Amino acid sequence: MTEISSDVAAEMGLTNDEFERVHQLLGRPPNFTELSVFSAMWSEHCSYKSSRRWLKTLPTTAPWVICGPGENAGVVDIGDRQALVFKMESHNHPSYIEPYQGAATGVGGILRDVFTMGARPFASLNSLRFGDPKHPRTRYLLEGVIAGIGGYGNCIGVPTVAGECTFDARYNGNILVNAMTVGIADSTKIFYAKASGVASPVVYVGSKTGRDGIHGATMASASFDAESGEKRPTVQVGDPFTEKLLLEACLELMATDAITGIQDMGAAGLTSSAIEMAAKGEGGIELDLDEVPCRENGMRPHELMLSESQERMLMVLRPGAEDQARKVFDKWELNFSVIGRVTNTGRMLLRSKGKVIADVPVGPLAEGLDYQRPWSEPPAPPTLPAMPKAAPIEMLCSLLASPDLCSRKWIWEQYDHTVMADTVVGPGADAAVVRIHGTQKAVAISADCTPRYCEADPNQGGAQAVAECWRNLTAVGALPLAITDCLNFGNPEKALVMGQFVRAIEGMSEACSALDFPVVSGNVSFYNETEETNIPPTPQIGGIGLFEDWRHAVTLALSAKCEHLLLLGERSFHLGQSLYSRHLLGMDAGFPPPVNLKVERRNGDLVRALITSGIVTACHDISDGGLLTAVAEMCLAGQRGVDLDLGHEASELFGEDQGRYLVSTTSKSLSQILREARTAKVPAKIIGVVGGDTLTLNSTDAISVSELTRIHEHWFASYTATD
């Protein structure tokens, strides 16, 4: 038997103070299983001990919000007894250690978060951050992650419809893999993770338990070092075919009145699911570990409790519904075992071989810890120096050919984004658009963040990430409803990192309030640090918007219906933190463009109204790369040219001023758009005539759309070519 000491506790990630607190709560020394349970539940990953006080400052309510943060996923009402259920999660450390399985199980985990609530998943997204393309591990990680996402999502039959992928040397030692899923549910039948009803049976369903993923939550709550590769056993192994069976079995049983509470076994496995359900039911739980289905012999109690084997659920059933539920899971050829019961003791009692092997309080475990970490103001970014001039078309080609802005077609062609036959607008657009099956309604979905902005000014960067997501949903014509977040930061024990987090939360909160865009779910991923190097602050935002009629959606593609191109929004010619300055200077310098939330709201509301009225033929928000890059992207999407009348200054062509849109329209509707813009006090300027197959700037510089396409699509094809 392992002697319990502070050294053992430290190996599990507990500090000396935390170890002493365990002693005080139990009134005795913990045994190994009990200590393992505390280490998992008090990990950063499970307890949010560094972030919870700040997360409480985010706006989380609105008339359309059914369920905000605190459950498996957020829920918003879209009318007609329908609700959208969605969430974003991180799987960063596992994906760095074992990219295929790390990314695959990230997809599987977020799918379970959604269907645990009673929703059928219908769309997935991802946001990926890799290191310098020249780094020796980057290509291996990229190919493994993309294969893992595609392999799991394609096999389970949920389309992957949108996402982001960027490269930056500051992610060399710690990539980010964030996954998001959206599902549809009956708004009157949402399922929650609550264990209620004394003596109600607690049931284990799904795959058998193995030794994969043990201490995964603890691993995700620590920085990396040179030996991080040795943590490979803490990475789970996924099976999308079993997940598909589990999905169908759960939804079938949810159509009855058998289930009173349900929780997937994610981080910390059986430990977290049992503790969280008991806490939300304000009661206790008893488990007989001998009844847990195992795929390996001789598994010890702490292994059974901490295993993060995939495709498993914990349910509380209505007493007497055991046989009914068993028949459903037998039909789908899944394990079903009654492993315990609900109690009113306020404790989790674990038994094995007729003996009590753990007896711990539910409340303190579920409440976790709440640390007030010291934080300091992030420093100002390097001053933006005077930059040499560059030929506009030459610079445009350089940007479009770079890893920052090149086509991601190589990635999304590996995903099935048309399965289920409801995808209206797929990858490559400002936002994906997916129909609600059997209705005219549709959902717009986007995932956004600009880490270089967040590092230079976390407050403005946090606000910009929310505003950019809101803008992308608006640019396709949807009414933004709510967001989920995945807050990726470095080591919270460092005051600078906590300062980045605090200021980013403040910016997010301001933007969510101003845009009526509440946070309904999310995830915090700290300790994204390798050998003292922290990632840039990356508060990833995933947002959803609603169409009453999917036929109102527009894309960024210029087409035969497009005759005039207009710029809507103010111009301040801001080059700080722009990709233009990055490519000319080889560094990110200056402050990011300021975000005026009143202007964002005013401009976006006008654009959405114009799209809904049917007079906009294409729309694109202006972001990375500025105005000329956005025009080029519209040309590329529609394989159609435009004759532009703009200035010659780099700040006008490549400045990344916020709150701006490009819209195209017909000659017939041009005056109406200009009139409505004047009424709304939104600056509007005609900047070009659409037509032909060439992008022409000021009648002097020109490049064919076919050449732009070749340049845009070359980098990934070259980078991933077989050696």
Side-chain angles (χ1 to χ4, degrees):
M1 181 178 293
T2 303
E3 182 180 350
I4 304 304
S5 65
S6 59
D7 290 340
V8 173
E11 289 177 7
M12 294 185 184
L14 292 169
T15 66
N16 284 337
D17 288 344
E18 290 167 351
F19 183 47
E20 286 302 316
R21 188 170 176 183
V22 173
H23 273 257
Q24 293 170 8
L25 285 169
L26 296 180
R28 57 176 170 77
N31 62 38
F32 192 82
T33 299
E34 291 168 335
L35 189 64
S36 298
V37 166
F38 273 98
S39 73
M41 293 304 297
W42 283 2
S43 68
E44 189 74 57
H45 191 73
C46 290
S47 75
Y48 288 66
K49 55 192 176 185
S50 300
S51 60
R52 59 172 53 198
R53 64 179 52 226
W54 302 107
L55 297 177
K56 291 176 182 178
T57 66
L58 291 168
T60 60
T61 60
W64 51 91
V65 173
I66 295 174
C67 176
E71 277 290 340
N72 286 289
V75 186
V76 297
D77 194 336
I78 59 169
D80 305 312
R81 279 188 52 174
Q82 293 177 321
L84 296 175
V85 179
F86 67 109
K87 190 182 181 185
M88 182 181 283
E89 277 272 11
S90 62
H91 233 221
N92 304 334
H93 286 185
S95 299
Y96 184 82
I97 296 169
E98 212 303 302
Y100 184 95
Q101 290 297 345
T105 52
V107 174
I110 199 64
L111 286 165
R112 287 195 301 280
D113 280 341
V114 168
F115 72 78
T116 300
M117 303 286 290
R120 179 172 290 279
F122 65 80
S124 289
L125 298 81
N126 54 76
S127 180
L128 313 174
R129 312 285 173 183
F130 295 100
D132 186 336
K134 296 178 183 178
H135 189 276
R137 275 182 62 86
T138 297
R139 180 175 160 184
Y140 160 73
L141 292 168
L142 169 72
E143 292 179 341
V145 166
I146 300 304
I149 291 170
Y152 207 101
N154 295 353
C155 288
I156 199 171
V158 176
T160 302
V161 296
E164 281 192 301
C165 177
T166 63
F167 299 86
D168 190 305
R170 290 168 291 184
Y171 298 102
N172 280 350
N174 202 126
I175 65 172
L176 302 185
V177 176
N178 296 170
M180 175 178 169
T181 290
V182 185
I184 186 75
D186 182 333
S187 61
T188 66
K189 201 167 186 182
I190 304 299
F191 288 81
Y192 298 97
K194 181 178 179 181
S196 58
V198 174
S200 293
V202 177
V203 176
Y204 172 120
V205 299
S207 293
K208 292 182 178 179
T209 296
R211 288 189 169 93
D212 53 319
I214 294 173
H215 281 299
T218 305
M219 178 269 290
S221 305
S223 300
F224 274 175
D225 54 30
E227 284 74 47
S228 61
E230 297 177 4
K231 298 177 181 177
R232 190 176 301 270
T234 62
V235 178
Q236 313 93 324
V237 177
D239 179 355
F241 300 105
T242 299
E243 179 116 330
K244 173 63 173 174
L245 299 178
L246 183 62
L247 162 66
E248 299 299 340
C250 287
L251 292 182
E252 181 175 331
L253 191 59
M254 285 168 168
T256 72
D257 64 351
I259 300 174
T260 62
I262 181 170
Q263 172 75 34
D264 83 293
M265 295 189 214
L270 186 54
T271 291
S272 62
S273 56
I275 291 291
E276 289 170 9
M277 291 184 76
K280 288 175 182 175
E282 299 181 349
I285 194 166
E286 291 185 5
L287 302 178
D288 184 349
L289 298 187
D290 297 338
E291 299 301 320
V292 174
C294 299
R295 67 168 184 259
E296 299 184 41
N297 294 325
M299 290 192 68
R300 291 173 290 177
H302 80 277
E303 293 176 322
L304 293 171
M305 291 303 296
L306 296 185
S307 169
E308 294 182 10
S309 294
Q310 298 291 282
E311 294 89 36
R312 303 179 302 158
M313 292 280 185
L314 194 66
M315 294 179 174
V316 175
L317 301 181
R318 172 178 51 79
E322 295 93 325
D323 289 343
Q324 177 188 8
R326 187 187 301 276
K327 288 178 182 177
V328 171
F329 285 90
D330 285 348
K331 167 189 168 182
W332 292 99
E333 299 181 346
L334 293 166
N335 292 286
F336 177 97
S337 180
V338 179
I339 66 169
R341 67 187 186 94
V342 177
T343 70
N344 60 1
T345 63
R347 304 185 72 80
M348 181 173 74
L349 193 70
L350 306 180
R351 301 180 189 275
S352 180
K353 297 180 174 57
K355 297 180 180 179
V356 173
I357 55 169
D359 184 358
V360 293
V362 166
L365 281 164
E367 291 165 9
L369 306 172
D370 185 2
Y371 289 157
Q372 188 166 358
R373 302 280 192 194
W375 61 277
S376 61
E377 290 288 351
T383 301
L384 183 70
M387 287 182 288
K389 290 187 177 181
I393 295 298
E394 183 179 317
M395 189 62 198
L396 172 66
C397 291
S398 176
L399 288 171
L400 291 177
S402 72
D404 289 308
L405 287 176
C406 70
S407 170
R408 269 57 178 161
K409 188 177 179 181
W410 177 86
I411 295 177
W412 55 257
E413 282 189 339
Q414 298 183 56
Y415 304 151
D416 188 341
H417 58 273
T418 61
V419 65
M420 301 176 76
D422 282 319
T423 304
V424 177
V425 179
D430 287 309
V433 179
V434 184
R435 287 179 300 200
I436 301 298
H437 194 74
T439 75
Q440 288 188 320
K441 290 188 289 189
V443 180
I445 319 167
S446 184
D448 301 282
C449 184
T450 310
R452 65 184 186 278
Y453 291 179
C454 297
E455 185 164 55
D457 186 333
N459 177 280
Q460 287 293 285
Q464 191 273 342
V466 173
E468 171 73 4
C469 186
W470 189 87
R471 205 157 55 232
N472 278 329
L473 300 174
T474 294
V476 296
L479 175 65
L481 292 180
I483 70 169
T484 181
D485 59 49
C486 200
L487 307 177
N488 307 273
F489 287 78
N491 186 341
E493 296 170 41
K494 295 183 175 179
L496 173 59
V497 171
M498 273 310 298
Q500 292 173 335
F501 183 82
V502 170
R503 291 305 187 208
I505 288 286
E506 287 178 353
M508 288 172 55
S509 182
E510 291 163 7
C512 289
S513 295
L515 301 173
D516 285 336
F517 207 27
V519 183
V520 298
S521 61
N523 168 239
V524 176
S525 176
F526 274 133
Y527 292 100
N528 289 289
E529 175 192 62
T530 299
E531 296 181 346
E532 301 297 314
T533 299
N534 287 283
I535 64 162
T538 312
Q540 192 68 39
I541 304 298
I544 60 166
L546 182 66
F547 291 93
E548 291 299 332
D549 189 334
W550 64 268
R551 291 168 295 188
H552 290 158
V554 299
T555 70
L556 58 86
L558 296 176
S559 67
K561 296 184 295 183
C562 306
E563 295 177 342
H564 299 279
L565 190 63
L566 294 88
L567 171 63
L568 301 180
E570 287 82 355
R571 294 179 292 167
S572 59
F573 310 113
H574 193 100
L575 284 175
Q577 294 299 321
S578 66
L579 290 182
Y580 179 87
S581 64
R582 169 182 280 189
H583 280 259
L584 277 186
L585 300 174
M587 63 181 290
D588 296 327
F591 281 96
V595 180
N596 186 321
L597 294 168
K598 289 183 179 179
V599 168
E600 284 282 0
R601 182 66 183 262
R602 182 198 67 192
N603 295 0
D605 287 349
L606 170 67
V607 168
R608 194 180 316 107
L610 293 173
I611 292 172
T612 302
S613 69
I615 60 176
V616 169
T617 53
C619 182
H620 188 26
D621 84 305
I622 300 173
S623 55
D624 284 346
L627 175 58
L628 187 57
T629 299
V631 172
E633 289 169 342
M634 297 182 79
C635 293
L636 289 165
Q639 289 295 293
R640 194 163 177 83
V642 63
D643 190 350
L644 292 172
D645 181 13
L646 291 171
H648 296 272
E649 294 299 317
S651 57
E652 179 174 1
L653 299 175
F654 300 105
E656 297 179 7
D657 311 341
Q658 298 294 290
R660 299 185 298 163
Y661 299 81
L662 289 167
V663 298
S664 67
T665 191
T666 62
S667 297
K668 180 181 177 181
S669 299
L670 181 60
S671 60
Q672 182 180 348
I673 288 182
L674 292 171
R675 183 171 61 253
E676 294 194 23
R678 283 194 300 271
T679 301
K681 298 182 180 180
V682 175
K685 180 182 179 181
I686 303 168
I687 63 168
V689 177
V690 180
D693 57 6
T694 301
L695 190 161
T696 304
L697 178 62
N698 300 327
S699 304
T700 55
D701 295 336
I703 185 169
S704 69
V705 176
S706 60
E707 177 63 7
L708 275 178
T709 302
R710 184 194 67 79
I711 291 169
H712 192 226
E713 295 182 356
H714 174 73
W715 188 86
F716 257 110
S718 174
Y719 185 66
T720 57
T722 304
D723 291 332

